[in-house]
Amino acid sequence: MRTEDLVAQVERDDSSDEEDFDFADGGWTEDQVFHEIALARTTGILDLSFAGLADLPDEVFNIKRLRVLRLTGNGLDSLSPNIQQLEELEVLDVWDNPECDIPTQIGELTKLEVLSVGPRCQLPSSIGRSRKIRQLAIGGNNLGRVPDWLFELEELEVAQLWGNQFTELPDRWDRIAKLNELNLAKNALTEVPESFGALRRLRLLGLEDNKISQLPESMVGLPIVNVRLGFNRFTSVPPVVSSWKDLKILDFFSEPGYGIYATAADDDGPDTDIEVADISASHLRKNSISTLPRHQVSSSLEDLPRSLQELPSLEVLLLHGNPSLQLPEELLGNFTRAGWDGSAKAILEYYFRTKEAGRPLNEAKLILLGWGGVGKTSLVNRLVHDRFQADEARTEGIQVTNWDVTLPDQQSARLNVWDFGGQEIMHATHQFFLTSRSLYLLVLSGRSGSADADAEYWLRLMESFAPGSPVIVVLNQIQRDPFELDEVGLRRRFPDIRGFVRTDCAAGQRGVGIEDLRARVVHETSNLPDLKVKFPAAWFEIKNRLSDMQENYLSFESYRALCRTLGEVNLAEQEKLAQYLHLLGIALNYRDDPRLRDTHVLNPHWVTEGIYAILNSSLLAAKKGEVEAADLLRILDSDLYPPERHAFLLDLMRKFELCFPYHDHPNKFLIAELLPKQQPTDIGDFIDESPALRFQYRYPVLPEGLLPRFIVRSHALSTDQPRWRSGCVLSWEGNRALVQAEATDRAVHISVDGPADGRRRLLAVIRSDFEHIHQSFRFKVDAYVPYGVRGRRLMVEYAKLVAAELNNMPHVQEFMDGEFYNIPVIELLNGVDLAPRTRTPRGKGLAKLAGKKARIFISYSHKDEKHKEALENHLKVLQRSGLIEVWSDRRIGAGDGWRGLIDRNLQEAEIVILLVSSDFLGSDYCSDVEMAEALRRHEAGECRVIPVIVRPCNWLHDSALKELQALPTDGKAVTEWENADTAWRIVSQGIEAAVRQR
């Protein structure tokens, strides 16, 4: 029978649909519900998840052969006793229907195998009569005690029992000995019963967020693969853990504010489809991280047993939030999209290596920030040298001072004090050196009358570049210019503030508040998590040798040779030490960029003074930011900055998006920070053109350098167009866009004009670049779409429009000039987005793109970088559509093995794009390695290879390439097209077709 006929039959059978059930706001339509009911009559599966139901239609209980009923995320307050009519039911999912009353008739479902109910639902004891239940999720129901009926379920294999306020467990677990997954997280347990030893099939055990301090000896030898014990009262690893030879994940994660939870604690509810043995990094990341509130942590691990090194399968060791172990944060690993990036083996090797021979580092970084003239240098002199000079010269760049202090436990520590110049032009370079886990002093004064705004600005920047770092706010020059701050409001918005101190260096013999500030600095220093991290003995020798060197820099190979000489021969440990030295500011090394990785900077002044000399050059100011290699010979001291090091400084500026090269003049760069401030006069008409497509970003603070950074990222589109410090004009595919920042309203305004067809594509490219920049900000950036009302523009928040669409709301209301206006949701969204978002009825109210993103790998010669950038600009349109994820070698991350990471991404790519030119074909690595491997995988059906001819060359002479369909049309090189945008548009369309066909 056709689907249409089934639906019609359901409708004929029902004489009172509207009286039988109701919808919650934002739910499905009645037709959608009955459509699913009709299909269920033949499939035996009915999924009404997130349908917005307040109760169920009676027709559901007439589907005699129904095997699966999913009701997650509705508004059901009870389940009908008619549930007993579903005699064939095997799966019942009533998750996320809070306080839903479960009838006793559920016990009549004798074939039920999977049941999930919660949270805060009443559970009848009759559940125990469903003896075939294998998977049970009743988390978050606040039961208070483990129900007796649980132990009647002798076939039970998976039990999700988290968040039920259990204070003790009955000693009856031998009754359900088939358990292979048990989650008791977020209860109030103090002990684990002996009968846990009878769970001889147990593979996953979740006990995190309880009050447990030991595990019974009866658990020796269990086949546990994944155990979670964080947020408890363990001071040592229970001995039985070392007997679990199958153990792959050992989790003592106890970092405040985070937690590791089983799948049932996820927002999506219980996940009964994941194999217990699935411990891949992606599964760990996807199903484990949660921010549910948790009990107070009363203790942490004090040591680790050597027996952990003897566990043959241990891969993941999570020890965050255990400061007594004195492990560096980098070693503990981070959670990324790919999963946990740490190494259990590396953690254990470092721990036992430093446990006996290591000693605390007792060295940290103190950073002073604030505008010029607020007295930062005077504060440093008072704190460190107890002196004051009224006519102190302003700091140019960065001044680094060593300050030896005595901690409260009488140990000595060294603070590397970094005093940043406050000049506006220098702010973009602060990101070179702002590192997390440092202590910050934000210095303000009342002279300008804008102390509250200044505090907001600097605290937002610190929050972005050094999240989680403690901050002391200094109200300086307080006697000369008294002022106050909204301290309560600032503490609420910025929880990393540790205190406010009032000082004045010029007042009295010893200054005012200096002793208070000194005491606060020492106190906060003693609490820095990395201060007591243990360093191996060889690392101290290396650090001291580097600190004593007179050279400004050395090659990374020279650094490695020094490490070998002083006893550190392990290459990975050498790189780890290099990272610590970078964070401390002792020796800078930017390992995340292939252009910079081979230079180890021993003297931070060498970097700052060189770059500041460039930024402050009157020569470059006269040339409006354009710099050529020959100019650096005139600007920089040749003794300190030999010509072979000029490229390093420029590449460092490129890394932080301060400049870009002219591709037609490889030795010529534009420093966007040095563009003229004056907006060109000939763009006024462009601003006022009414047909333009408009978009806006609003910021809590407008970071200095935001528009220059955007100009660098989008420079390929602004060639031969006006550029100035706070804006630019872009040209692409026959469209023009004006992008400009307005400091007064802390916003970026975007206007796009030209053929209506291409406006959204150019806007998509612009938004892609801004969203990339926004990723480095911790503060929220709001987007707005204008709507014309009576000749004025009413700004509507973009996120509000998206939420309205996802909840099937055709209009949203906005208020202006005393009136409410109904704003058409779809009309506005379709005007600024590439295509209407697609969503499925059971998408939990979230937009879902059809299909998985295709992974694209771009292989190219670096001499064709401008063509790679042009391609990436066009691919941004597909990226915003959710179709692709692009990888090229510029995405290599810190500490990654360069060639290894390239090879790995090449192996994982579904589509490999070859940018073919004579340089590409002549490159041993591009042609003989990357292209050869891509073609091998293409022949094996593992990926698709697309040659893109960027410059004329004899590519048809390559027998393998000529068998492939090259782009653009007929393999005509991009540079031979009259309009390059046309060629790249054809290329992007060909790639899109390949993605959709995969």
Side-chain angles (χ1 to χ4, degrees), residues 66-131:
L66 192 65
R67 295 179 295 104
V68 177
L69 177 58
R70 297 191 182 277
L71 302 170
T72 294
N74 284 287
L76 304 176
D77 57 14
S78 65
L79 202 58
S80 170
N82 292 334
I83 193 73
Q84 66 180 338
Q85 297 173 203
L86 303 178
E87 298 176 353
E88 302 297 317
L89 200 63
E90 299 173 5
V91 176
L92 176 59
D93 176 8
V94 198
W95 191 259
D96 198 14
N97 286 270
E99 301 183 12
C100 180
D101 184 20
I102 306 301
T104 58
Q105 287 80 1
I106 195 173
E108 306 303 318
L109 302 178
T110 58
K111 294 186 178 181
L112 193 63
E113 295 185 13
V114 178
L115 174 64
S116 61
V117 180
R120 302 188 305 279
C121 295
Q122 297 298 315
L123 307 178
S125 59
S126 61
I127 294 176
R129 298 204 299 269
S130 300
R131 300 296 179 85

Side-chain angles (χ1 to χ4, degrees), residues 135-289:
Q135 299 184 28
L136 176 70
I138 54 172
N141 284 296
N142 302 329
L143 300 176
R145 61 185 296 271
V146 179
D148 292 334
W149 53 260
L150 179 75
F151 300 101
E152 299 174 19
L153 306 177
E154 297 178 357
E155 300 299 316
L156 194 61
E157 297 176 2
V158 176
Q160 299 284 357
L161 308 175
W162 56 272
N164 280 301
Q165 298 183 1
F166 299 151
T167 57
E168 60 181 0
L169 299 175
D171 200 8
R172 301 169 59 191
W173 297 86
D174 53 320
R175 300 283 301 273
I176 48 177
K178 292 184 179 180
L179 270 182
N180 57 46
E181 180 176 340
L182 174 60
N183 182 4
L184 287 160
K186 198 169 171 31
N187 285 291
L189 302 172
T190 58
E191 293 182 347
V192 173
E194 292 286 336
S195 58
F196 264 38
L199 302 177
R200 308 312 294 182
R201 299 184 184 181
L202 194 63
R203 304 272 286 168
L204 188 151
L205 176 61
L207 293 173
E208 68 271 34
D209 205 0
N210 281 284
K211 302 176 181 179
I212 302 168
S213 60
Q214 194 49 269
L215 298 179
E217 292 184 8
S218 62
M219 296 179 69
V220 168
L222 293 183
I224 291 177
V225 172
N226 182 343
V227 63
R228 299 187 295 273
L229 302 172
F231 295 98
N232 274 290
R233 294 182 175 173
F234 294 103
T235 57
S236 60
V237 178
V240 295
V241 170
S242 298
S243 72
W244 298 338
K245 300 304 180 185
D246 295 329
L247 191 64
K248 293 187 177 181
I249 299 177
L250 176 57
D251 168 17
F252 278 97
F253 191 110
S254 301
E255 185 82 4
Y258 298 91
I260 304 299
Y261 266 71
T263 56
D266 236 27
D267 290 339
D268 293 332
D271 186 343
T272 56
D273 298 325
I274 300 294
E275 293 290 333
V276 174
D278 181 0
I279 55 98
S280 67
S282 59
H283 177 63
L284 179 75
R285 174 69 172 124
K286 174 181 181 292
N287 294 297
S288 295
I289 304 297

Side-chain angles (χ1 to χ4, degrees), residues 777-850:
F777 302 152
R778 298 274 291 199
F779 51 74
K780 184 173 180 286
V781 179
D782 295 316
Y784 288 82
V785 183
Y787 181 72
V789 175
R790 297 181 180 177
R792 296 180 58 190
R793 294 192 187 109
L794 194 158
M795 303 306 295
V796 186
E797 189 174 2
Y798 177 77
K800 182 178 181 179
L801 292 168
V802 172
E805 184 200 29
L806 299 180
N807 286 279
N808 295 326
M809 296 169 58
H811 297 87
V812 294
Q813 276 199 339
E814 294 290 337
F815 182 80
M816 185 175 71
D817 296 338
E819 293 187 47
F820 285 98
Y821 296 90
N822 285 327
I823 310 298
V825 172
I826 303 301
E827 177 185 332
L828 250 63
L829 287 177
N830 287 350
V832 296
D833 283 335
L834 290 167
R837 282 143 308 283
T838 57
R839 56 189 287 243
T840 59
R842 53 180 72 91
K844 195 182 177 182
L846 297 175
K848 291 193 173 182
L849 292 165

